[in-house]
Amino acid sequence: MQLSSVKSNYISLNFTFKWVFATFLGFLLSLLMIEVSEKPDMSILEAAIGSLTISIPQSYLLRQSIFPGKWVLSTLFSWIIIAVIGVGVLGWTVTISAFLPTRIFLGIIVGGIGGLLIGISQWCLAIPPSFPSAWKWIFVNIISWMIAMPIGSTIGLFLHRITNLFLGEVVGLAITWLLVAILTGISAVKIIKDL
């Protein structure tokens, strides 16, 4: 009994680590193709490229539970919708406001909207109905982005002010992606275990 618990915890930790690594590596690779900027919206092509660099490595990890093509397409669809409605492409655009309370507020709102769209799309289009608690994935995404966006944006603002380099904002976005990866990775393990 004790051994199975240790093995289960190891598997969960192993998956979470791989999820964080795949998601964060996908973000770093996307930086080679997408220009991070202060503009409030990015092109649909940039949204598509960004979503593919994130979702393809994730789909590889999920391949035994979720059909990879569905995961990639559902993620692609949600990011394109986010770009089309003008929310800004989460994780690649920086709030233009230098006023900290505005950044925090916008991070929460934009993170919530983006997380909702990503969560619904992946839940409806990719996650099989055989997962009894799959609906929780919507809330996982909402909460993850609502937490990560303001934290990353705040850190980015402070680093930008300290260094006078826009690179500080990029570091803030990297922290946002790292937090999202950790929070969604931990939750993905729990949802998969419910199967």
Side-chain angles (χ1 to χ4, degrees):
M1 181 103 162
Q2 191 75 291
L3 184 60
S4 67
S5 174
V6 170
K7 184 178 178 183
S8 177
N9 288 339
Y10 171 76
I11 291 170
S12 297
L13 187 60
N14 188 31
F15 177 85
T16 302
F17 176 76
K18 288 178 182 177
W19 180 267
V20 170
F21 180 76
T23 303
F24 195 68
L25 181 64
F27 167 72
L28 293 177
L29 288 174
S30 75
L31 293 178
L32 299 173
M33 298 171 272
I34 297 175
E35 178 186 351
V36 173
S37 68
E38 292 180 325
K39 60 185 176 182
D41 55 353
M42 296 175 74
S43 74
I44 292 172
L45 179 61
E46 289 172 311
I49 291 168
S51 71
L52 291 172
T53 60
I54 302 295
S55 64
I56 290 172
Q58 288 177 340
S59 72
Y60 178 77
L61 292 175
L62 295 170
R63 71 190 181 283
Q64 301 204 336
S65 305
I66 297 172
F67 182 67
K70 287 184 176 183
W71 185 261
V72 171
L73 289 176
S74 68
T75 306
L76 175 67
F77 178 72
S78 60
W79 285 103
I80 289 173
I81 296 296
I82 290 168
V84 167
I85 65 172
V87 172
V89 180
L90 302 178
W92 290 282
T93 56
V94 176
T95 305
I96 56 176
S97 175
F99 184 57
L100 183 59
T102 301
R103 272 193 174 225
I104 292 170
F105 179 73
L106 287 175
I108 292 169
I109 299 301
V110 169
I113 293 168
L116 175 67
L117 293 171
I118 294 164
I120 287 176
S121 179
Q122 291 171 339
W123 174 61
C124 288
L125 301 175
I127 301 173
S130 59
F131 286 80
S133 60
W135 59 271
K136 293 177 185 177
W137 188 247
I138 298 169
F139 297 101
V140 165
N141 275 278
I142 294 169
I143 293 167
S144 297
W145 282 101
M146 287 178 76
I147 291 170
M149 287 290 291
I151 291 172
S153 184
T154 300
I155 292 170
L157 175 65
F158 286 129
L159 291 174
H160 191 176
R161 284 183 180 170
I162 291 168
T163 63
N164 286 327
L165 297 172
F166 188 73
L167 183 61
E169 297 284 8
V170 177
V171 171
L173 290 174
I175 290 169
T176 298
W177 274 104
L178 188 60
L179 289 172
V180 167
I182 291 168
L183 294 171
T184 57
I186 291 168
S187 299
V189 167
K190 291 179 181 178
I191 291 171
I192 291 170
K193 274 186 180 179
D194 286 348
L195 185 59

